[in-house]
Amino acid sequence: MWRAASQPGAADAVGLAAGYLLDAAFGDPRRFHPVAGFGTAAAALEKQIYAPNRRSGAAFAAIAVGVPALAGLGAAAATRRLPVARAALVAAATWTVLGGRTLRRESRIMAGHLDDGDLNSARGRLNHLCGRDPAGLDEPELARATVESVAENTSDAVVAPLVWGGLLGLPGLLAYRAANTLDAMVGHRSPRYARFGTASARLDDGLNLLPARLTGLLTVAVSPVAGGNPREALRVWRRDRNDHPSPNAGQCESAMAGALGVRLGGRNVYFGRSETRPFLGDGPRPSAKHLRRAARVSGSVGLAAAGLAVGVALLRGKAIKPTSRSGDKGL
């Protein structure tokens, strides 16, 4: 008798597709979001083990990422022969960790504020997308910050979780979102997290190496949805992608700059510090119209990534060779 060895991969594929559709239809839960709950738990853990050194930071990252990963492994093992339950769990996890619809909505809301000339509302909305200080930003700088955030978060909140879900299923989804959340919490440069946050930041960088480059390539491929030219987008991506100080953000931002025909980069002011980054792309600074185009690019990239993730999950299931029970040998 042959074991249904391919069922877990097929169930994961169904769950990934269903979770993607749930996010596309409903977006993030407005209340009781599991990721917010994880953030609260991680903050409590930080209070218990914080010390201004890398060893404590490594322990923090190992516990905070390891627990969700082990929970995912346990759930995957428990539902190995329960395909409906497994698909439901993967669907719920995928919906929880994706943020594509919310990201696109925020970009369009910002575009509406800029179209209306309502800079106060636009500045107040920027913290939904990034951590820059909006106080002194004019319309082009608000638009630039939004495009850059949409580009980077298309990888972080859409492509990367789908990639890890396709490759590893439920534990991949949960571990990636945990690592990415920790990076947002403690991975930034500040006196408190200069050493404590190193492990979280490097773990997030490592997990995003493949997804960020895939995001760049997919952005180039879908650039016509924003009126872009794939050949030009590819040229800009290849020229500028390694100029960014982040090993991953430049992959996404340069491709988006090429797809939209705009110039990104420059001086970014955060609360208490500033950074000057190289320019990415050619052309004018972004405006409100580019925010809607960026949302279309992000949506198309997410759809393509979902298709790839489903395909990878199916291939992963088929790669597990069926085995026979000892009593069936020789039949």
Side-chain angles (χ1 to χ4, degrees):
M1 181 180 296
W2 296 93
R3 294 180 182 177
S6 63
Q7 278 189 346
D12 285 353
V14 171
L16 286 164
Y20 172 81
L21 292 174
L22 286 168
D23 176 70
F26 301 110
D28 290 333
R30 294 186 179 274
R31 299 180 64 186
F32 308 114
H33 198 301
V35 174
F38 169 80
T40 300
L45 175 64
E46 180 193 339
K47 290 181 180 178
Q48 295 298 315
I49 67 173
Y50 174 82
N53 58 65
R54 293 180 179 176
R55 180 177 297 179
S56 296
F60 171 70
I63 296 170
V65 176
V67 170
L70 290 173
L73 283 170
T79 57
R80 180 173 179 78
R81 297 189 176 279
L82 300 170
V84 174
R86 187 185 184 105
L89 280 175
V90 173
T94 303
W95 181 20
T96 295
V97 303
L98 292 183
R101 179 183 175 91
T102 300
L103 181 63
R104 297 190 297 275
R105 183 179 71 240
E106 289 298 329
S107 186
R108 294 183 179 116
I109 290 173
M110 182 67 77
H113 289 324
L114 296 182
D115 276 338
D116 294 339
D118 188 353
L119 294 187
N120 286 334
S121 294
R123 289 169 182 147
R125 197 76 190 186
L126 188 63
N127 67 353
H128 288 243
L129 286 165
C130 65
R132 298 182 199 178
D133 185 352
L137 300 185
D138 58 10
E139 178 180 343
E141 286 300 297
L142 287 165
R144 176 174 74 87
T146 301
V147 170
E148 291 173 355
S149 296
V150 169
E152 183 176 2
N153 284 300
T154 297
S155 178
D156 288 357
V158 184
V159 177
L162 287 169
V163 165
W164 289 109
L167 290 171
L168 299 176
L170 192 58
L173 290 165
L174 299 182
Y176 172 76
R177 178 48 64 207
N180 188 248
T181 302
L182 292 191
D183 181 59
M185 293 175 63
V186 305
H188 49 85
R189 297 184 181 92
S190 69
R192 177 176 175 83
Y193 298 126
R195 298 179 68 81
F196 182 82
T198 298
S200 295
R202 290 183 178 172
L203 176 60
D204 183 71
D205 284 345
L207 291 176
N208 278 292
L209 285 173
L210 173 60
R213 284 146 185 82
L214 177 60
T215 300
L217 288 170
L218 291 177
T219 299
V220 168
V222 307
S223 58
V225 304
N229 183 310
R231 182 175 296 179
E232 174 63 14
L234 180 63
R235 181 188 70 82
V236 171
W237 177 69
R238 293 180 65 183
R239 185 193 69 189
D240 296 344
R241 57 183 174 156
N242 293 320
D243 291 344
H244 198 284
S246 164
N248 298 317
Q251 304 288 330
C252 314
E253 293 180 19
S254 61
M256 184 68 83
L260 300 181
V262 298
R263 187 180 69 173
L264 303 177
R267 183 169 178 262
N268 295 342
V269 178
Y270 300 91
F271 294 91
R273 63 187 177 88
S274 66
E275 297 178 4
T276 300
R277 297 176 178 175
F279 292 124
L280 307 175
D282 306 309
R285 288 307 224 183
S287 61
K289 65 181 180 181
H290 295 111
L291 305 191
R292 296 186 176 89
R293 294 175 186 175
R296 290 201 294 272
V297 169
S298 180
S300 298
V301 168
L303 180 60
L308 290 172
V310 167
V312 168
L314 289 172
L315 289 173
R316 172 165 51 83
K318 291 180 179 180
I320 303 173
K321 296 180 180 180
T323 58
S324 60
R325 295 179 182 174
S326 58
D328 295 331
K329 290 180 180 179
L331 295 180

